[in-house]
Amino acid sequence: MPAKQKANSADHMLPQMNAIMEMGSRNMEMLAEAGHEMTSGMREASKAMQEFLGTRLKKDVEAARTFADCRTPDEFWRAQFTFFEDAVKDYSKEAARMIDIASSATLNFAQPVEKAAEEALKSISEANEKVRETAQKAVKQDA
């Protein structure tokens, strides 16, 4: 292949190479942003779990005192029933809260990824268009 043709071939590839380099930079930015969103969600979940466990532990200690104060089997049964009913409500409510936090964190994490994918597709499309235009000009010049 003559040197001029080799140079023209490389010139045709420059827009695509530039697009790839730009995508790499944007991908790093996207990963940083997505990572920040995910760690924020994890911090929120951790804080919520600590609060829940602290509250639940206080209720468990309180229930143990109530059990110790019972004088009849009927009192003990009612105290246990109340304790378990309260615990099931608390755990169910907390499970729903954790699902909400996880869902929100996942959506927040996905937004920068989705944005980067849209930008990458646009960039690739623009680079391909430039390659087409350059190739068409080269064909016209050769003709």
Side-chain angles (χ1 to χ4, degrees):
M1 180 182 283
K4 185 177 179 183
Q5 281 183 323
K6 285 182 183 178
N8 283 343
S9 294
D11 288 345
H12 294 302
M13 295 303 294
L14 283 176
Q16 290 175 327
M17 293 168 79
N18 287 336
I20 290 169
M21 295 297 287
E22 288 174 20
M23 283 190 305
S25 177
R26 283 194 306 269
N27 286 344
M28 293 304 291
E29 291 171 7
M30 177 272 305
L31 286 173
E33 187 177 341
H36 173 75
E37 293 297 337
M38 186 54 71
T39 55
S40 292
M42 292 170 73
R43 268 193 317 273
E44 185 180 353
S46 178
K47 181 181 175 189
M49 187 58 70
Q50 288 174 347
E51 290 171 359
F52 171 73
L53 291 174
T55 301
R56 203 53 242 168
L57 183 59
K58 287 177 186 174
K59 288 182 177 183
D60 292 352
V61 169
E62 189 179 300
R65 286 188 188 123
T66 301
F67 296 158
D69 291 342
C70 291
R71 300 292 175 234
T72 67
D74 189 51
E75 281 181 44
F76 186 69
W77 183 87
R78 285 190 181 134
Q80 280 185 320
F81 179 81
T82 301
F83 168 76
F84 285 116
E85 185 177 47
D86 187 46
V88 167
K89 286 178 186 176
D90 286 351
Y91 279 100
S92 296
K93 184 178 174 183
E94 187 62 18
R97 182 176 175 204
M98 294 305 290
I99 289 169
D100 286 344
I101 291 170
S103 296
S104 177
T106 301
L107 289 174
N108 291 341
F109 170 79
Q111 287 174 347
V113 174
E114 183 179 349
K115 181 180 174 188
E118 289 171 357
E119 289 175 1
L121 289 173
K122 180 180 176 189
S123 180
I124 290 168
S125 178
E126 289 171 356
N128 283 337
E129 184 59 34
K130 287 179 185 177
V131 167
R132 258 189 242 110
E133 290 172 4
T134 305
Q136 287 173 350
K137 287 179 186 176
V139 168
K140 286 180 183 177
Q141 287 176 355
D142 289 343

